Amino acid sequence: MSQLVRMFLVVFVVAIGLMYATVYLNSSEGYSGGNTLTVYNWGDYVDPELIARFEEETGIKVIYQTFDSNEAMMTKIKQGGTTYDVAIPSEYAVSKMKAEKLLKEIDHSLLPNLKHIDPSFLGLSFDPQNTHSIPYFWGTVGIVFNPKMVGDLTFDSWDDLWDESLRNNVFLLDGAREVMGMGLNSLGYSLNDTDEAHLQEALAKLAKLTPNVKAIVGDEIKMLIANEEAAAGLVWSGDASEIMTENEELDYVVPKEGSNLWFDNMVIPKTARNLEGAHKFINFMLDPEVAAQNAEYVGYSTPNKDALAFLPEEISGDKRFYPDKELTERLEVYNNLGPRMLSHYNELFLEFKMHRK
Ligand code: N2P
């Protein structure tokens, strides 16, 4: 055999080997056939004890993976490499995934516990018949702050975050819609605004916040603020509630100019293989006692009306985290702005982050 043919053979055998290895690895990562269920959720968004209880009760082994933004989650599901059985997108992501045919229909007859959801959280515009999504948690975006570190600032206005006294003393959650939304709201615009001049104005306004921003961070924002590493932070309500159980000095407020009201939901992505297990998991999370335990653990607000009875009054009665109509009426839900505008929001957010360096 000539040297060349031998070399070809070696390359050929190695290439085939690599191909097999890739296929094997892809299918074993998040393999959901048989008695396993792959759940894809936000970080810090479930009580791990409940996952263990679900496994024990059903004999299904849960493969649990996390993401930190709707955008990252959608990209991963679109790629299709992992067979996710249940995922937890926010409302605008549900609407986008539905439009892109990334979701399977949910069979309500397999969800006897659906009756525990407060009807005001059902039939919302992003999925009018709940054919593809079931409520998980809901909340707002606002400012958590440490009264003893901020002087007279009350944060009833977004502009308080821009105050000179807060140099290098503010953390921001790492979310494109949230940060852009804050910029737009602080100028009196809608957080669904698509007017290019308004978006540029928001970016310029955010650039002025730069000297106050200590860091843009993920879930560690809770630990950092509880440990008084900064005086204030832009956070999701449930993170604020969690921080406030760690450090009781802190407070949470939704500024008067308006903010975001969001709804996170359980869905069954197109990639799912264990449909029966996915329905069992969703139904399990809808059980009032389970939902209450989960809400108490993660700090977020439950849409499960029958879970409220299992929550201590200081949680379910706290208007900051279970806001009344008067507050929610001045809040906006994110619209699915369409793929181009959503990537534009991401680009602008990235530009803001780059400016910080
Ligand atoms: C929890 C993330 C909550 C997501 N770490 C709010 N949509």
Side-chain angles (χ1 to χ4, degrees), residues 3 5 45 98 106 113 116 125 131 170 186 281 283 311 348:
Q3 182 102 9
V5 171
Y45 217 28
K98 226 173 125 175
I106 295 175
N113 286 335
H116 300 299
S125 63
T131 46
V170 173
S186 75
F281 183 84
N283 195 52
L311 284 172
L348 293 170

Side-chain angles (χ1 to χ4, degrees), residues 3 16 20 23 26 32 39 51 58-59 62 99 101 134 140 151 180-181 189 229 232 245 249 252 325 335 351 355:
Q3 182 102 9
I16 294 283
Y20 268 110
V23 169
N26 272 343
S32 308
V39 176
I51 299 289
T58 60
V62 173
K101 307 234 172 311
I134 302 295
T140 57
M180 284 301 295
Y189 299 137
E229 298 282 337
T245 56
E249 308 253 2
Y252 175 74
K325 269 223 149 56
N335 293 341
E351 213 173 307
H355 269 306

Side-chain angles (χ1 to χ4, degrees), residues 42-45 90 178 219 222 236 239 262 264 300:
W42 295 81
D44 291 352
Y45 217 28
S90 305
E178 286 77 5
D219 285 329
K222 287 180 283 187
W236 290 299
D239 280 6
W262 54 262
D264 288 346
Y300 279 86

